[in-house]
Amino acid sequence: MISQKMYELGTKKSTIRTIFEFGRKRAAEVGEENVFDFSLGNPNVPTPEYVKEAALDILTHWEPSAIHGYTVAPGAPQVRQAIAESINKRFGTHYAGKNIFMTAGAAAAITISFKALCQEGDEFVTFAPFFPEYRCFVESVGGKLVVVPARTADWQIDFDAFAKLVTNHTKAIIVNSPNNPSGAVYSEATIKQLADILRAKEKEFGHPIFLISDEPYREIAYEGFTVPYIPKYYDNTLVCYSYSKSFSLPGERIGYIVVPDELESYEKIFGAIAGAARVLTHVNAPSLWQYVVARCADKPSDISTYVTNGQLLYNGLKEAGFECVQPQGAFYLFPKCLEPDDYAFCERAKKYGLLLVPGTDFGCPGYFRAAYCIKTDTIKRSLPLFKQLAAEYK
Ligand code: PLP
């Protein structure tokens, strides 16, 4: 009668949502101040003033039909041009408006890219730990997700494992740096090595292997860590960008795909992206927000809260005895649990009001994710509780 697969996807709550809802219930029982919710990646830095001002100015001064009307499917031409120019200034690229396809955030950008590329039997390779939605996005277009085991020492890439998993069936590689959930930024050396291996594999198999760079956290990289612009290292790259985190606009659904000329058959891929967006009923990215982000494209993001929070939590966890890689970007830490069973560990943490997400959800058992896009004071007050939790294991 109905699609069992869709029913399961729609009714099985994600672990993150379940923890978040538990937190809301618990807050009603014991008070908001006694719940330390590290579960959700919802930015807590306020949307910048210049974004609000741009939205208000457009809403006040433009013709309503110009603001709220449909745009052409890839986005308003002046928006695409403004974004292309902004990227060119930053990265020395040579994009024009035709290289930008506006989307409803990164989720739409990656799903459209998967759909545009996927043929029967295709595999999409990603690296643990990974954003759990990749699996359902890839499977929704008929592809298979292949996961490279994590390199836990520094969350860079285990290239030996990777090289074995790239086969004749590999259509694309998905990378996400700065990473959710590890907080790592792939170094230039990592990107160069990845590009070299892919070029060799393309030669070996005689077909292109695409790199899909999922970059919602691009702007959130800390001092000493630079996020390489991947199309400069590897031609067959699609960049999926979002303003959800950089401008704290996750609910407005705005982002884009960069479709470079350097891709093997740009025209065909751009056409397939337009077709994929069409069948996914992505009529156009939200019009108002296209105009707003185009105006703000060159503006910086304020990441100071994340810098403070990341350092505070990292130092506190280290002091409590946790093994953890230093925060490099995004707003997550991914420490090792104090027992092998990450579900049992996160369950135990709940006793202290600490709401953490088991690493298994990200393809990396034995670890937990702590999202630190929360109030700095909440983090400060949580540190003695992490110590008490750790003491249980001594
Ligand atoms: N990719 C990663 C790695 C994410 O963490 C998220 C959201 O948290 C997304 C994609 C989706 O972002 P958007 O809100 O732009 O759809």
Side-chain angles (χ1 to χ4, degrees), residues 104-108 110 131 134 176 180 214 216-217 242 244-245 250 253 332:
I110 50 186
F131 180 51
Y134 289 159
N176 166 228
N180 172 12
D214 178 24
Y217 303 95
S242 164
S244 291
K245 318 286 171 173
R253 317 305 306 133
Y332 307 101

Side-chain angles (χ1 to χ4, degrees), residues 4 16 32 34 68 146 177 188 197 251 285 389:
Q4 187 58 24
I16 298 174
E32 194 81 42
N34 295 314
H68 302 297
V146 173
S177 165
E188 187 182 37
I197 292 177
L389 171 64

Side-chain angles (χ1 to χ4, degrees), residues 21 33 58 61 64 77 115 157 171-172 263 313 316 331 356 393:
E21 282 166 22
E33 69 285 2
I58 291 168
H61 296 112
K115 178 116 188 125
I157 292 177
K171 176 53 62 77
L263 283 169
L313 185 62
F331 38 58
L356 312 168
Y393 292 91

Side-chain angles (χ1 to χ4, degrees), residues 8-21:
E8 280 162 18
L9 278 172
T11 50
K12 189 174 157 250
K13 278 199 197 126
S14 75
T15 311
I16 298 174
R17 278 273 149 205
T18 309
I19 296 169
F20 175 71
E21 282 166 22

Side-chain angles (χ1 to χ4, degrees), residues 47 51 55 102 249 252-254 286-294:
T47 303
V51 171
M102 300 303 295
L249 288 174
E252 307 302 350
R253 317 305 306 133
I254 188 75
S287 307
L288 168 65
W289 295 100
Q290 289 191 43
Y291 304 125
V292 172
V293 298

Side-chain angles (χ1 to χ4, degrees), residues 302-315:
D302 177 7
I303 63 166
S304 55
T305 304
Y306 303 137
V307 173
T308 306
N309 287 2
Q311 214 47 52
L312 195 62
L313 185 62
Y314 172 74
N315 291 340

